[in-house]
Amino acid sequence: MTCIEFYPLQAQSIKLSSYGFKPDDNRANFYNALKNNDTLIVDRQNTEWLVSPMTFRGLNNKTIIFEEGTTLRAKPGAFPKTNHCLMRFVQCENIEIIGNNALLKMNKEEYIDGEWRMGISLVGCKNIKVNNLTVSSSGGDGIYIDGYKTQPYSENIYIDNVISTNNKRQGMSIISAKNVWVKNSIFTKTNGTLPEAGVDIEPDKDTNVIINVNFEHCSFIDNNHAGIVLGLNNLNEDSVPVSITFKDCYLSMNHDSSNRYPAAEIIVSSSSEQPVKGEVIFENIMIDGSEWGLMYTRKPSDAYSVIFKDLNAINICQRNEQSSVIYMEVPDYYKTSGPIGGFSLNDCYFEYDKEGPFLTVKGSSLGTLAGAKDITGNVTISNPKLTEFIKYVKYNPQKNINLNIDFSVKE
């Protein structure tokens, strides 16, 4: 599906400095300028524009243009509440933020408590464009997208050429959204509080939706957890089926050993019982360098399908000689478990030099794993140390159902 184009009105514009420049706090001027004008130009000053928390409710048909070299900065000491955001948009429509390489920066080192001080928060919004800026050092997520009360999801969100860096919780979180396009963007150096992922798609409840969410030409680099997390555990079979695509994306050196969550470049999860349906596609993905493997998952085979097409991964599994490229398991605390699986790996290439198996399937000590099911594809491996393609731990491979991967070894 192509992106829906929309163009906020730009009939009446004003420079923010026309409302004055205050060295301590410009929130009131920002509000007044937006209220009275269709287009607000945040013009460059000799110093940063400092603001206390800004929340815009019901704002429609507005354009915010940052002049090149501009910095919008969270006022030190002015964000005491754990949900204070730099820019929070609530039930807003037809908003465009044109960054011109501006910097939106918070003061992460101040925010000892909480994890919800977002850089840009979009809740229950429609028709939003954000482009050409950096969001840095938030006390939560660089960008957060969710629904709000009577508007259960945000819709038609377009993020282009954004750098989300050094944020505390996630580079970006998507909780409930329909029609999202994230292009040409970088999510990097997330650290501070769990999960610490580059991007985390993680609904809070079964009525949330993840519909037509797309990442194209994006990079996920050097985050303390995985580059990409699909945390779809709170959706179930009665939820709207998910549809997610990652295309032409790059991952490198994600997950730090200090993070206690499972280690991999990509995490794929769902509820263990009555999971959500749908489809996730990873197409033309490049992974260049990782201490860990490609993917960790506990996803049942009857959950949404995951398809990898034309993936290339090199210099992976660096940390542990016995690392697996793909690790599937049922934890010991799972009392029951249907088959794990529902993955296709089509024309995927892996180049690395560790002894560990390509795929590990691990059952629980209780023997609850009912099978490994619908794991298919064709894979080429260049690895002179590889001695086994699939390793089974606490699991009898006679339970396999349609586990059919065609392995080719490149000398």
Side-chain angles (χ1 to χ4, degrees), residues 45-98:
Q45 303 297 307
N46 292 328
T47 187
E48 304 164 325
W49 286 96
L50 292 178
V51 292
S52 49
M54 296 192 296
T55 297
F56 307 101
R57 297 181 183 274
L59 196 66
N60 297 324
N61 302 317
K62 302 290 184 179
T63 300
I64 302 171
I65 302 174
F66 290 89
E67 288 188 348
E68 187 170 3
T70 301
T71 297
L72 182 71
R73 177 73 174 267
K75 178 182 176 180
F79 289 69
K81 293 184 179 181
T82 59
N83 63 348
H84 276 159
C85 300
L86 183 59
M87 299 183 76
R88 185 170 188 250
F89 296 87
V90 181
Q91 292 187 298
C92 298
E93 295 187 23
N94 299 327
I95 306 295
E96 183 168 8
I97 301 175
I98 301 172

Side-chain angles (χ1 to χ4, degrees), residues 208-334:
N208 292 149
V209 303
I210 302 295
I211 302 172
N212 192 33
V213 173
N214 305 274
F215 289 80
E216 295 183 13
H217 300 285
C218 292
S219 296
F220 311 88
I221 304 169
D222 195 24
N223 297 286
N224 262 27
H225 187 29
I228 298 169
V229 173
L230 304 180
L232 305 179
N233 304 61
N234 290 325
L235 301 180
N236 58 42
E237 64 180 1
D238 294 324
S239 303
V240 177
V242 300
S243 49
I244 306 168
T245 299
F246 291 86
K247 185 176 182 181
D248 300 323
C249 291
Y250 176 88
L251 298 93
S252 180
M253 300 306 294
N254 292 292
H255 193 92
D256 187 86
S257 58
S258 64
N259 187 296
R260 62 181 174 84
Y261 283 1
E265 291 293 316
I266 299 171
I267 305 295
V268 176
S269 66
S270 68
S271 173
S272 60
E273 299 181 12
Q274 300 180 331
V276 66
K277 310 302 182 182
E279 183 177 73
V280 176
I281 298 174
F282 293 90
E283 183 175 357
N284 195 25
I285 305 300
M286 179 69 190
I287 301 174
D288 186 0
S290 179
E291 293 189 342
W292 319 101
L294 164 67
M295 181 180 67
Y296 173 90
T297 185
R298 301 172 181 175
K299 185 185 76 68
S301 60
D302 60 344
Y304 57 94
S305 64
V306 177
I307 301 169
F308 291 93
K309 299 179 180 179
D310 299 315
L311 178 142
N312 290 272
I314 63 175
N315 301 320
I316 60 176
C317 301
Q318 295 177 12
R319 185 175 180 85
N320 189 332
E321 192 67 34
Q322 299 301 315
S323 292
S324 296
V325 174
I326 297 175
Y327 197 95
M328 302 181 179
E329 74 163 341
V330 171
D332 286 345
Y333 59 81
Y334 277 26

Side-chain angles (χ1 to χ4, degrees), residues 107-122:
N107 306 297
K108 187 175 74 170
E109 67 279 1
E110 286 186 9
Y111 312 136
I112 305 301
D113 59 338
E115 56 189 70
W116 306 283
R117 295 178 178 92
M118 315 304 184
I120 297 176
S121 177
L122 307 174

